[in-house]
Amino acid sequence: MTVIDLSTRVPLRVPTATATFAIGIAGYLGVNLSPYMITAAQTGLGIDVLGASWLVTATLLLTAVTGLAIAPLCAGAHRRTVARAGLALGALGFATAALLPGAILPALLAGGIGAGGAVAASGAALAAFRNPDRVAGFNGLANRGVITVVLAVIPLMGLAPLDVFGALALFCVIGLAVTAWLPAAPVVDPHAGAAVAEAMPIEVPPTGTLKVSPARSRVVTIAGFGLLLVFALWAASEDSLWAMAGVMGAEQAGLSPEGLGIALSGATAGGLLGSLLLMAVGSRLGRAVPLVVLLLTGGALKIAEGFTTDATAFIIVFIAWNTIYAIAFMYFVATSAALDADGRWSGPLLAVYLVGSALTPVIGAALVGVLGFQGFAIALGIASFVLAVPTGAIALLSTRLERASITESPA
């Protein structure tokens, strides 16, 4: 039998929230600053845009691969150690790239590896809190709010290596300073498959722990791996549209660069609104129905984007789609956190997303080249429709597990 402590999920408090969100922002900042990083790498190394793009892509892929490889450690007693080591390496790598332009190539790769540790540790820590839905909303709000400010401020300072890579190093240092507040892995057995078993005989011993059968643990393990696969495919389809939005809007709807700026800004604002909505709703609607509705709606909006020929309509549909995408993303995070209190699935989930983010410009361009804009949009929409089925099933399981833990946990 697997022994799981149900009393260790903690409420969201300022210190633990600050550490979890700050470390997550430090790990993810490179994804958001990738256009600026390309320009800074060009300036520092004197290379063309293709070479700089490949360097940044390699950096992000190293972040993803490192996060996936090291995530199991973050589900155990080494979470804070992983966070500290990753942030220290990230700070060193990005600071070196900022101060020694000639060393940008190895320095960025080292920084990318360090960021992977931060992504895995912060993702796993999200599972330590009660009410994963509301916590995911707070996390989304903090992330998008800070990123919005950073994206606006850095161009005002300049896009030299010192400005761009220096900002990455600074956020790593900030995350490093608050790692002591990062929630520790809460479960007794870091290899436990779930926070609680549902719809099965459960023995509640006097100590306040639950004994879960290996069969139920295997079910949750299968659901966890299924969630990672579904999320990876869904994220790739979503980010492909994001990557191709500028080209599609210009050629199909006559979207100007100013219009694209409005669309991207509006999309960020939509994400902030979605975070606020999820914070207010929490777990009252469950996860299965909202996720299925969001994926179906998002798929329809992606298809509509492929047939929109008016610039204003293109912007409106784009903002609506991205708002839906942001809310669905947070529900995915909440689902992974609810599956296992030790962060076994929420840790690698965020790293899985980075794989798609690094590759979607290439994937999107290839699909557009083969299918055209309308075929591209239809393919992405169908992907959302198909993925809604397994996503809903896994989300329903996570909701039942969490509710069972509340019901069965002794007072």
Side-chain angles (χ1 to χ4, degrees):
M1 302 291 280
T2 299
V3 180
I4 305 171
D5 189 352
L6 293 177
S7 63
T8 51
R9 285 190 187 260
V10 298
L12 192 66
R13 297 287 184 262
V14 172
T16 50
T18 299
T20 303
F21 300 161
I23 292 171
I25 290 170
Y28 253 64
L29 190 60
V31 178
N32 296 279
L33 295 187
S34 56
Y36 299 164
M37 291 174 67
I38 291 172
T39 300
Q42 284 184 268
T43 303
L45 293 175
I47 57 178
D48 60 19
V49 65
L50 181 60
S53 297
W54 275 112
L55 175 56
V56 173
T57 296
T59 300
L60 297 180
L61 282 176
L62 280 175
T63 298
V65 171
T66 302
L68 286 172
I70 209 165
L73 287 178
C74 299
H78 305 292
R79 179 179 300 166
R80 290 172 183 164
T81 301
V82 169
R84 290 185 178 113
L87 290 164
L89 179 59
L92 177 62
F94 292 131
T96 300
L99 299 173
L100 301 173
I104 283 179
L105 194 155
L108 280 188
L109 297 182
I113 293 172
V119 167
S122 64
L126 290 172
F129 297 104
R130 299 171 193 165
N131 200 330
D133 305 88
R134 187 160 285 134
V135 171
F138 273 106
N139 181 58
L141 181 66
N143 190 292
R144 284 184 174 255
V146 171
I147 294 302
T148 299
V149 174
V150 172
L151 288 173
V153 170
I154 288 183
L156 300 178
M157 300 167 54
L159 297 180
L162 181 62
D163 304 308
V164 178
F165 304 137
L168 291 166
L170 175 61
F171 273 87
C172 286
V173 171
I174 293 172
L176 189 60
V178 297
T179 49
W181 293 338
L182 191 70
V187 297
V188 174
D189 180 4
H191 300 293
V196 64
E198 184 268 336
M200 57 169 254
I202 300 177
E203 177 185 350
V204 183
T207 58
T209 59
L210 296 185
K211 292 184 178 181
V212 180
S213 72
R216 177 56 58 179
S217 180
R218 284 194 296 272
V219 169
V220 179
T221 298
I222 293 171
F225 280 115
L227 181 65
L228 295 181
L229 176 61
V230 168
F231 183 70
L233 295 173
W234 174 80
S237 75
E238 300 293 306
D239 280 2
S240 293
L241 179 57
W242 178 274
M244 293 294 104
V247 177
M248 180 187 294
E251 295 190 16
Q252 177 178 292
L255 189 68
S256 66
E258 293 77 14
L260 179 61
I262 293 172
L264 296 178
S265 299
T268 301
L272 291 172
L273 177 61
S275 301
L276 292 171
L277 289 174
L278 186 54
M279 288 161 53
V281 171
S283 58
R284 280 176 287 184
L285 299 178
R287 298 185 191 97
V289 172
L291 261 174
V292 169
V293 171
L294 288 166
L295 263 62
L296 293 178
T297 305
L301 288 170
K302 284 189 285 188
I303 293 174
E305 193 79 315
F307 290 84
T308 302
T309 57
D310 176 75
T312 301
F314 188 94
I315 293 172
I316 293 172
V317 174
F318 184 84
I319 292 173
W321 159 73
N322 198 257
T323 301
I324 295 295
Y325 155 77
I327 301 173
F329 182 98
M330 288 179 279
Y331 267 112
F332 270 110
V333 173
T335 298
S336 67
L339 275 178
D340 198 326
D342 62 11
R344 184 183 179 193
W345 305 112
S346 60
L349 185 87
L350 298 182
V352 162
Y353 173 79
L354 289 178
V355 176
S357 294
L359 297 176
T360 45
V362 178
I363 296 173
L367 288 175
V368 168
V370 173
L371 303 174
F373 289 130
Q374 292 184 352
F376 168 68
I378 292 172
L380 297 185
I382 291 174
S384 289
F385 299 155
V386 173
L387 294 173
V389 177
T391 298
I394 297 169
L396 181 61
L397 174 65
S398 78
T399 301
R400 288 180 173 176
L401 291 173
E402 184 186 13
R403 288 176 178 172
S405 72
I406 295 172
T407 302
E408 300 292 343
S409 181

